[in-house]
Amino acid sequence: MKSVANGESKEWLYLSGAAGSGKSHLLLATCTTAQKQGRRALYFPLSVFAGRLQEVLPDQENADIVCLDGLENCAGNEQDEVALFHFYNRARAANAVVVFAARPAPHGLSLLIPDLQSRLGQCTRLNLESLGDDGRREVLLHRALQRGLELDDAVLDYMFKRVGRDLLTLTTLLDKLDRESLAAQRKVTVPFLRKLLER
């Protein structure tokens, strides 16, 4: 992913893995790294844009990197699949790099357009295993560090015990913690986190 982000590789990637395996985190980190180097990188959570890809995808192939997260949200929607198919072809012609992510591998998507499935199958595939607690901690610490937010072990322990271990839930909470601590001009502590969760 790093070689794609910094422009060393023009390889198209397809990330698959269960919820909480870190797909979204990798896509966002790739975009952030590319943008810091002055490259145009775009992230599209397809759970948000499903049903509207014909409006959203045209002209996005002019970016250096396009990350499409959650392909399973568009599978079975013929208009979305047609938009993805045409986007795929335009992006290849424009020499953009595209990174796809979905829970299943390409052959596991319930796609209506066989040619789209075939094209997705041409990408280099990476299957991500679900992260263990150490991996989740590392992801949270990395994202916190990017925001200038300090999280100590006590705060992380409390998050894991009270919130659960689902990475999406944890990163969403981290975003909220960042906003709230900034607004309150306070360091993130266990009492601060407890008060936030009680609201």
Side-chain angles (χ1 to χ4, degrees), residues 27-40:
L27 295 181
L28 290 166
T30 298
C31 286
T32 300
T33 301
Q35 289 166 351
K36 284 180 180 174
Q37 296 177 11
R39 303 181 76 224
R40 187 169 175 240

Side-chain angles (χ1 to χ4, degrees), residues 56-90:
V56 174
L57 288 181
D59 300 322
Q60 304 310 321
E61 65 274 2
N62 296 317
D64 296 303
I65 300 171
V66 180
C67 294
L68 299 175
D69 193 3
L71 280 175
E72 66 274 8
N73 292 287
C74 300
N77 180 316
E78 189 171 5
Q79 288 184 336
D80 278 354
E81 289 188 27
V82 168
L84 276 169
F85 179 77
H86 291 306
F87 166 77
Y88 184 106
N89 293 332
R90 290 192 313 268

Side-chain angles (χ1 to χ4, degrees), residues 1 15 21-32 67 126 128:
M1 296 291 294
L15 309 181
S21 59
K23 298 182 301 295
S24 298
H25 172 73
L26 280 173
L27 295 181
L28 290 166
T30 298
C31 286
T32 300
C67 294
L126 303 170
L128 304 179

